[in-house]
Amino acid sequence: MEGTLHSNISEMVALGWINLNDNQFSGISSGIGLLPNLYSLELNNNSITNLGNAFDNVSTSLQHIYLDNNQIGNIPSDIANVENLNTLSMNYNNLTGIPEEIFELDDIQNLNFQENSITSLPDIDLGDLPYLNNLRLENNSLTSLPEGICNLPNSAYITVGNNQLCPEAEYNYDNYECIDSFGNQDCD
């Protein structure tokens, strides 16, 4: 299938799980958010470039969004409307940043942003995310991390390997137990 996921999908109110992986969809209709029972949206391996206003009006039942291996360049701030979001996976896209609103989602447990072009993170304190278990940022273009990155209430795991992080004397990422920074450059 190809094109945009049609707005008529909002008429399928009993849908709880949408798995349309491995197609050629280029966009998501705003009607997707109107499905009252939708808890999981999987659109991996498509050709989505823009999320538009897909999360402008969204059901509170949506908990899992998988958009791996697309061509998405940015995440709209209306992602914060997905109040009960548990997992957001956007590996292998064209992301250059992550909006601060994602780190305001109280129920978030898993954030996956591997293999993008993310250069920086918002100034965040992960202590405000009581359920966060995984933050995966490997193979991006990060050059620094916010100071509050390790203020974790749980034993969350953060991976930032293969970025452009340079361990500095006053802020050596290798000294943070919460971070796996294997594969970053040696700046001697």
Side-chain angles (χ1 to χ4, degrees):
M1 289 190 250
E2 60 184 64
T4 300
L5 194 57
H6 199 274
S7 61
N8 287 351
I9 199 163
S10 64
E11 296 171 9
M12 300 177 188
V13 295
L15 281 178
W17 173 41
I18 295 176
N19 179 333
L20 292 170
N21 296 330
D22 304 308
N23 285 287
Q24 292 298 313
F25 288 114
S26 58
I28 304 173
S29 166
S30 60
I32 200 85
L34 301 176
L35 295 169
N37 297 308
L38 183 64
Y39 65 88
S40 185
L41 175 63
E42 297 182 28
L43 289 165
N44 298 316
N45 303 312
N46 277 282
S47 300
I48 299 169
T49 57
N50 188 333
L51 296 176
N53 59 354
F55 306 112
D56 202 16
N57 294 310
V58 67
S59 167
T60 58
S61 62
L62 186 57
Q63 296 179 22
H64 307 280
I65 299 173
Y66 298 93
L67 296 167
D68 297 332
N69 201 18
N70 280 284
Q71 300 164 19
I72 301 166
N74 65 12
I75 304 169
S77 60
D78 66 2
I79 192 76
N81 293 338
V82 189
E83 295 175 5
N84 295 316
L85 190 61
N86 173 292
T87 300
L88 177 61
S89 189
M90 296 185 73
N91 300 317
Y92 298 94
N93 276 285
N94 298 326
L95 300 174
T96 57
I98 303 171
E100 188 172 326
E101 289 82 0
I102 285 180
F103 299 100
E104 296 171 3
L105 294 166
D106 294 334
D107 293 334
I108 200 74
Q109 293 181 20
N110 301 293
L111 291 169
N112 301 314
F113 300 110
Q114 300 173 75
E115 297 282 345
N116 280 285
S117 299
I118 299 168
T119 57
S120 65
L121 297 174
D123 189 18
I124 54 173
D125 184 344
L126 294 181
D128 295 335
L129 299 173
Y131 303 110
L132 184 67
N133 290 322
N134 294 297
L135 175 56
R136 306 210 51 163
L137 295 162
E138 302 103 291
N139 298 306
N140 278 285
S141 300
L142 291 170
T143 57
S144 66
L145 297 173
E147 289 188 33
I149 193 110
C150 281
N151 295 342
L152 302 166
N154 293 327
S155 58
Y157 191 65
I158 301 171
T159 54
V160 293
N162 296 316
N163 276 279
Q164 297 172 14
L165 298 171
C166 180
E168 297 169 274
E170 75 268 12
Y171 197 58
N172 186 342
Y173 306 113
D174 292 329
N175 291 336
Y176 284 87
E177 290 181 18
C178 78
I179 296 178
D180 175 0
S181 61
F182 180 77
N184 281 292
Q185 59 187 349
D186 186 7
C187 302
D188 291 337

